[in-house]
Amino acid sequence: MVSKAQPDDAGGKEPRGQWNSRIGYILAMVGSAVGLGNIVRFPFVTSSNGGGVFVLIYLIAVLLIGIPMVLAELTLGRRSKRNVVDTFRNLGNRRWALLGLFFIFFNVYIMAWYSVIGGWTLIYLLDGFSNAYFADPTSFFSAVTEGPRALLFHAIFISIAIGIVAGGVSEGIEPAVIILMPLLILVMVGLAIYGITLDGAGEGLSFYLQPDLSDVSGGTIVAAVGQAFFSMSIGFGALLTYASYMSRDSDLNEDGVTVGLSDTGVALLAGFVMFPLLGVIGILGTAAVAEGGIGVAFLSLPVAFGTIGGTLGTGVAVGFFFLLFAAALSSAISLLEVGVGWLTDRGYARWKSALVLGLLMYCLGIAMAFSSPILDLAAGALTDVFVIFGALIIAVFLGWYYERYLDEDPGEEMDRGAGSIRLGRASYFMIKWIIPAVLVVLLSLAVLNVAGVEVMSGA
Ligand code: PHE
């Protein structure tokens, strides 16, 4: 990912790495953004929140809140050239650094469930060879996604991520993203076109595309903003960490917009794959969630593989899950790198840092590998709380404290190095006056939502 140490132009003591090339870091950021969030979590939250209306609010959230927040996070990382905790210490003070520690905690938490689902992609990849889930996707899903096998593959997934991060975020990510990401998109376009021709697909499409405004509630907005943040990797310190390896005159506007829009494109495409297929099996909306929880995508996809049939069906299944696994892995690497970047900056060996954090993530994931209700809560409503909180810290810091501490205009800093796209001023306005207020309200709703879910599942 990054070349060997370069002098640190932020005035720090330690020499730090830099990205080898602009395309390299854009690809790594796209690799971080595009993952299980787009292909697994997006269909799940769309199903639980009324379909089309959720998609509409999601798109508004991406444009008005997501893009300014991407820019904010990148700006902080590029300015400080430090890991997330020390960014808050260096640009702010020790109290802010304590808040920075929350990001390490979020990442451990998120990775716990992320790796459990990453493990499922491996199970589906291997069992695709024997067409094990083509005939009865629902029974297969409940048999393998909860229990010892899920735990084993959680362990395998996290070990692979630890191995890659321990070796230094690999040079391999760039070529992998260049080749595998377009292939994933190609296979998804093929599946979407195929799925739409099947009987019953129309119902799925209209669930996905026709907004019914009477369905909107506070919960819909929480879920849409939470999903936009999660999918674009906002509020974790991951973009911040990657941006800390950039030079100060890189064009954050163009890069941020590229990452944000490509991520959103892949999520929308995933909807075009999943919803027609869910329509074919006749489980849309909350019915789909009742059957599959966060795994609704794993119920719909086999429909396509099964009806394609033969060697081609097997090949598409195996190929798809391989590509999904790769996309999940490139996101997982960036999640793990946040904590590892912090520990290595504190002088710990990279492999030790990756191992210790990875083990914590593994342990936290054990309960989730054994209980789908716990997993659904952890990956759904509770994740919304964390990402909204993470984004709020970043927004308040940039909007209200940056100028005070550094005596620099954050809007100008955002636009430093920008070409024709200059969103710094408008983003700063949003981040100062609108976004924190919106996020405080949404955070309160998100917390209530979690309490509600617990009451329901305890009933
Ligand atoms: N954005 C990733 C996804 O959609 C998840 C992620 C979040 C990865 C934050 C890294 C940091 O799957």
Side-chain angles (χ1 to χ4, degrees):
M1 161 176 103
V2 289
S3 63
K4 288 278 175 283
Q6 302 267 330
D8 176 25
D9 63 11
K13 289 180 222 96
E14 306 143 35
R16 262 181 133 249
Q18 290 264 339
W19 291 98
N20 291 327
S21 66
R22 175 162 185 216
I23 185 77
Y25 68 71
I26 295 183
L27 286 169
M29 288 197 296
V30 171
S32 165
V34 174
L36 297 174
N38 309 58
I39 295 160
V40 176
R41 197 174 188 269
F42 177 74
F44 164 64
V45 283
T46 305
S47 291
S48 358
N49 288 284
V53 71
F54 173 85
V55 177
L56 184 68
I57 298 176
Y58 175 78
L59 290 177
I60 296 172
V62 165
L63 294 177
L64 293 185
I65 306 185
I67 300 277
M69 286 302 302
V70 170
L71 206 51
E73 214 181 303
L74 293 177
T75 302
L76 291 181
R78 181 182 68 170
R79 181 68 183 84
S80 80
K81 297 205 167 294
R82 281 288 174 277
N83 65 73
V84 61
V85 180
D86 293 326
T87 290
F88 283 105
R89 188 193 314 275
N90 291 0
L91 304 184
N93 55 33
R94 283 176 54 198
R95 250 178 284 155
W96 278 101
L98 278 181
L99 280 175
L101 274 176
F102 269 109
F103 289 91
I104 310 292
F105 166 75
F106 294 156
N107 282 272
V108 170
Y109 168 85
I110 300 281
M111 181 71 161
W113 69 257
Y114 206 86
S115 164
V116 172
I117 300 180
W120 296 357
T121 64
L122 282 171
I123 296 179
Y124 273 73
L125 162 59
L126 293 178
D127 286 10
F129 285 104
S130 56
N131 300 356
Y133 43 83
F134 289 15
D136 186 357
T138 317
S139 320
F140 180 87
F141 177 78
S142 40
V144 299
T145 54
E146 216 177 15
R149 196 148 182 238
L151 186 65
L152 173 68
F153 281 89
H154 164 45
I156 295 175
F157 185 90
I158 202 113
S159 308
I160 298 173
I162 293 173
I164 294 176
V165 174
V169 173
S170 88
E171 307 279 331
I173 289 196
E174 296 169 27
V177 175
I178 288 196
I179 298 166
L180 299 181
M181 196 70 73
L183 268 180
L184 176 66
I185 292 171
L186 207 70
V187 173
M188 291 212 298
V189 169
L191 284 171
I193 295 172
Y194 179 73
I196 288 168
T197 63
L198 299 176
D199 257 2
E203 236 175 289
L205 265 186
S206 53
F207 175 79
Y208 181 48
L209 296 178
Q210 274 179 9
D212 177 355
L213 290 181
S214 63
D215 277 352
V216 182
S217 69
T220 324
I221 303 174
V222 169
V225 173
Q227 175 61 19
F229 288 167
F230 182 80
S231 192
M232 295 162 96
S233 300
I234 297 165
F236 293 85
L239 295 177
L240 186 155
T241 304
Y242 275 2
S244 73
Y245 302 113
M246 290 179 184
S247 78
R248 188 129 175 238
D249 52 9
S250 44
D251 184 349
L252 298 185
N253 284 264
E254 205 172 278
D255 300 347
V257 169
T258 308
V259 172
L261 295 187
S262 44
D263 180 73
T264 307
V266 177
L268 291 177
L269 175 58
F272 279 107
V273 176
M274 311 301 165
F275 286 99
L277 298 173
L278 288 169
V280 172
I281 41 177
I283 50 161
L284 284 164
T286 42
V289 174
E291 293 228 21
I294 185 138
V296 284
F298 291 85
L299 299 185
S300 61
L301 285 161
V303 177
F305 306 142
T307 54
I308 295 171
T311 323
L312 183 61
T314 310
V316 177
V318 170
F320 176 84
F321 283 112
F322 169 71
L323 295 168
L324 182 57
F325 161 71
L329 194 60
S330 63
S331 300
I333 288 168
S334 76
L335 276 168
L336 191 51
E337 180 64 23
V338 176
V340 169
W342 170 60
L343 287 174
T344 49
D345 277 357
R346 306 203 76 71
Y348 294 99
R350 181 162 260 281
W351 71 268
K352 270 191 208 158
S353 315
L355 194 64
V356 168
L357 285 171
L359 275 175
L360 276 176
M361 291 159 172
Y362 170 72
C363 293
L364 202 62
I366 294 176
M368 302 173 197
F370 278 98
S371 157
S372 338
I374 295 183
L375 180 72
D376 287 345
L377 176 66
L382 207 49
T383 287
D384 288 334
V385 172
F386 288 135
V387 289
I388 293 174
F389 184 57
L392 181 61
I393 295 177
I394 290 171
V396 170
F397 185 81
L398 192 109
W400 291 91
Y401 289 90
Y402 184 100
E403 187 158 17
R404 185 183 307 172
Y405 291 141
L406 296 172
D407 203 17
E408 281 170 16
D409 177 347
E412 259 168 43
E413 181 61 25
M414 285 170 153
D415 277 346
R416 179 193 283 267
S420 52
I421 308 177
R422 290 181 168 264
L423 302 173
R425 296 213 157 274
S427 299
Y428 178 37
F429 176 84
M430 290 293 290
I431 285 168
K432 186 167 182 121
W433 299 109
I434 315 274
I435 294 177
V438 172
L439 294 187
V440 166
V441 175
L442 294 184
L443 184 62
S444 329
L445 290 176
V447 170
L448 289 176
N449 200 12
V450 169
V453 171
E454 274 171 350
V455 170
M456 270 162 56
S457 58

